[in-house]
Amino acid sequence: MSKIKIEDSFCGYLKVGDDLCAYHISNDIVTLLLAENNGRKRHEIFERIRSRSEGSSEYLFDEDNEYIIAILHKGSFNNDVLGLNTSIQFSTPVIVKACGNADGFFGEMTEAWEKFHAITFYGGNINALYNPQAAVKQPEIKEYLKCNGAREIKMRPYGEYTRSVDFEVDGEKVTFTVSVLSAGKDNSTESKGEYSLGILNSCIQFSFETAQGFDKIEKYYKIARRLVAILTSQNNVSFDVYISQRTLEGKYIKTGICKIFNPYANYSKRKCHKVIPIWNVLDYVPKLINAIMQGSADSLIDLLPKDNRDVNRISITNVQDLCTALEVAYRQGEKRAREKDNLIKELKENIKETITKFLESHAEIDVNKETNIKSAFDYLDFTLKQRILTLYNENHSIVDEIISKCSLPQVNEDSIASFVKLRDNRTHSGTTEWGDSARLYTAMFALVYACFFRTLGLSDETITSMLLQIF
């Protein structure tokens, strides 16, 4: 049997509601052609499809192809405004293709094909986070000394290179597994004629007690992509995806391959020595995923490059985003008792008392309605410079290691003030005078990472060793 894959371009027939349409897909653009000769009926079908509720999300199925294909449609259908052209287009984020088409394939399933018990992300940038060589037993020295050309390749027992952690997502038990997949030889035309003994790819997998619908594919892909991005320190990451079902014997069978589209022009080329190994943070993955789902990691993710050409470049937008991330990090760290924060609270209470006493003796004015004291009072806080200095003092042992390794300027009150001034000048006057302040960017970026990992409970020693990998 030939290797099942989703081509960049193919065609077939889709059901949209009760209406059958011919379609052609090129990358992520789907073009629907109405399969109806009668002009009046074709117009009726066109109007039905065009008027389907906007903002909806649904999978459209092609069951007339050699293998079942599901194409995700989200939002509205695009068409000729005048209605003269009855072709309809939409952009799909996800395509799923069945891994089999015979009775034996469907007979092993315990759920409908549109369900899955596990979703697996493998290869690509995941290989850098966990080297697939972890699954290979290293030969003894005597094997290297042989001169007869004989070599033996052995896989280690599955349990030696696989680990799992359990946690809950939206009240449902989920198992997160890190392992290595072994695929058979691939001597297709794409491999340029060489003979392959097999392929190893590292993987991360989410498995569930109860079957999930196709509507959850995007959700877990976004979680996996953001997790890989944080550990890679770049947003433009990629990997392959497939879904599985659990048989009655408790084994997993691959039921569908997924093609998920993203906007990146290129992908991260970071090797294993320049990323954070996922094995090092596996025990904290539940907290990390919870932070991703709650949006607590968004400000950090926004800082990560989306293009390889931007890896060693800094723009004023990067500086603005970094200042925002530091403000967020300070607020997230407020759960820890800070004496200075308590002083601000005390100051606000004193101001409240002063306003109350003033109103008691001056009924002719309502300062809350007639002045801007309320807005000024709401935003009363330490300056950004002071908050960054506080964050640095809390994490200086980590950041100083990065400063030493990268030969960066020292972080102090003056250097922080100059860095913040970059943001302020751009905001208030539209000018940018870089000077030496931009050289502080890497240290501040490391500070955001340090603050984020500390909220997850990692020790300073662990955070330091991880950040020394990516900076």
Side-chain angles (χ1 to χ4, degrees):
M1 181 184 293
S2 61
K3 183 179 178 181
I4 298 172
K5 62 179 294 187
I6 299 176
E7 303 289 348
D8 292 334
S9 179
F10 58 91
C11 56
Y13 289 90
L14 283 181
K15 266 292 197 68
V16 183
D18 295 325
D19 298 311
L20 184 65
C21 300
Y23 76 91
H24 175 264
I25 185 166
S26 179
N27 293 316
D28 64 325
I29 302 300
V30 183
T31 302
L32 300 178
L33 300 172
L34 307 186
E36 174 59 58
N37 291 326
N38 183 284
R40 182 179 61 81
K41 290 183 178 179
R42 186 166 61 248
H43 183 73
E44 290 175 356
I45 296 172
F46 175 77
E47 289 299 326
R48 269 199 301 272
I49 294 176
R50 191 173 66 165
S51 61
R52 289 178 74 86
S53 55
E54 293 189 11
S56 62
S57 177
E58 60 181 338
Y59 275 90
L60 306 177
F61 292 87
D62 180 350
E63 299 185 15
D64 292 326
N65 217 304
E66 183 181 1
Y67 297 89
I68 299 177
I69 295 175
I71 301 173
L72 178 59
H73 165 254
K74 298 181 71 174
S76 59
F77 291 95
N78 299 317
N79 57 273
D80 177 10
V81 177
L82 298 177
L84 300 178
N85 183 349
T86 54
S87 66
I88 299 172
Q89 287 188 328
F90 65 90
S91 176
T92 180
V94 181
I95 302 174
V96 188
K97 185 175 183 178
C99 289
N101 58 2
D103 291 341
F105 170 72
F106 291 102
E108 285 191 278
M109 292 187 187
T110 52
E111 300 282 349
W113 179 69
E114 301 84 26
K115 299 280 187 177
F116 61 92
H117 293 107
I119 183 166
T120 305
F121 309 95
Y122 68 97
N125 294 105
I126 296 175
N127 287 340
L129 303 184
Y130 183 45
N131 195 325
Q133 288 185 349
V136 179
K137 184 177 181 180
Q138 298 302 312
E140 298 178 3
I141 187 64
K142 62 182 180 181
E143 290 292 320
Y144 288 109
L145 298 177
K146 288 181 180 179
C147 298
N148 60 2
R151 291 290 186 272
E152 187 177 31
I153 301 175
K154 286 185 177 181
M155 296 285 289
R156 296 167 60 199
Y158 179 78
E160 291 186 9
Y161 58 86
T162 302
R163 278 192 63 193
S164 298
V165 291
D166 295 329
F167 58 99
E168 286 192 356
V169 174
D170 297 331
E172 183 172 19
K173 183 180 177 182
V174 180
T175 299
F176 179 89
T177 302
V178 177
S179 188
V180 177
L181 302 174
S182 175
K185 61 183 181 181
D186 179 12
N187 300 307
S188 64
T189 55
E190 295 179 3
S191 60
K192 299 180 181 179
E194 68 266 20
Y195 188 87
S196 169
L197 295 176
I199 299 171
L200 294 179
N201 276 306
S202 297
C203 71
I204 58 177
Q205 181 187 79
F206 295 91
S207 53
F208 314 90
E209 285 190 335
T210 57
Q212 307 292 302
F214 277 8
D215 59 305
K216 297 295 179 63
I217 291 176
E218 260 198 309
K219 171 182 177 179
Y220 284 97
Y221 168 76
K222 288 178 180 178
I223 292 174
R225 193 200 66 76
R226 291 174 181 175
L227 172 64
V228 174
I230 290 172
L231 300 181
T232 305
S233 194
Q234 285 188 221
N235 260 310
N236 56 331
V237 295
S238 70
F239 39 77
D240 293 314
V241 188
Y242 70 83
I243 54 175
S244 308
Q245 281 195 22
R246 195 166 45 243
T247 65
L248 293 174
E249 292 77 24
K251 298 180 180 179
Y252 285 100
I253 58 168
K254 186 189 295 187
T255 55
I257 58 172
C258 306
K259 192 168 191 174
I260 302 179
F261 297 93
N262 58 60
Y264 306 121
N266 49 53
Y267 298 109
S268 170
K269 296 179 180 179
R270 283 183 174 246
K271 303 300 182 182
C272 57
H273 63 282
K274 291 293 292 179
V275 301
I276 298 173
I278 196 169
W279 204 264
N280 292 9
V281 296
L282 190 58
D283 292 334
Y284 297 91
V285 161
K287 290 184 178 180
L288 181 50
I289 290 176
N290 185 56
I292 290 171
M293 293 183 63
Q294 291 184 347
S296 304
D298 287 356
S299 59
L300 169 59
I301 294 172
D302 287 342
L303 298 177
L304 308 180
K306 299 178 175 65
D307 192 304
N308 291 336
R309 292 167 293 187
D310 297 331
V311 170
N312 296 314
R313 294 192 300 193
I314 301 172
S315 69
I316 192 61
T317 300
N318 296 141
V319 173
Q320 292 170 322
D321 290 342
L322 182 55
C323 287
T324 299
L326 288 165
E327 289 177 330
V328 172
Y330 188 87
R331 291 197 300 271
Q332 290 175 343
E334 286 178 348
K335 296 177 182 178
R336 299 189 299 273
R338 290 189 180 115
E339 183 178 347
K340 283 190 174 182
D341 290 336
N342 291 331
L343 292 176
I344 289 292
K345 291 179 181 179
E346 182 180 343
L347 174 60
K348 287 183 176 181
E349 290 300 322
N350 290 340
I351 293 174
K352 281 183 180 179
E353 291 179 8
T354 300
I355 293 173
T356 301
K357 290 180 180 178
F358 181 84
L359 291 175
E360 288 175 354
S361 57
H362 296 280
E364 68 274 15
I365 183 174
D366 187 341
V367 295
N368 289 317
K369 293 182 178 179
E370 298 179 48
T371 72
N372 63 355
I373 192 168
K374 188 177 188 303
S375 61
F377 179 71
D378 288 340
Y379 290 99
L380 176 62
D381 207 338
F382 288 109
T383 62
L384 177 58
K385 180 193 74 173
Q386 189 61 47
R387 281 178 279 175
I388 294 175
L389 186 60
T390 299
L391 289 175
Y392 169 70
N393 290 334
E394 293 173 348
N395 298 275
H396 70 88
S397 62
I398 301 171
V399 178
D400 287 349
E401 290 286 346
I402 308 300
I403 291 173
S404 176
K405 176 186 175 182
C406 301
S407 300
L408 302 174
Q410 290 299 310
V411 177
N412 52 46
E413 191 168 354
D414 291 337
S415 63
I416 292 174
S418 297
F419 185 78
V420 173
K421 191 176 180 180
L422 284 175
R423 195 269 313 253
D424 294 343
N425 285 347
R426 182 67 174 186
T427 302
H428 300 300
S429 66
T431 61
T432 304
E433 296 180 9
W434 289 100
D436 290 332
S437 300
R439 296 188 62 219
L440 205 65
Y441 184 90
T442 300
M444 295 294 96
F445 192 4
L447 179 57
V448 173
Y449 255 111
C451 293
F452 176 73
F453 281 128
R454 285 191 74 183
T455 62
L456 303 183
L458 276 74
S459 67
D460 286 4
E461 293 75 17
T462 301
I463 297 172
T464 300
S465 65
M466 292 194 308
L467 295 191
L468 286 172
Q469 292 265 112
I470 60 176
F471 288 101

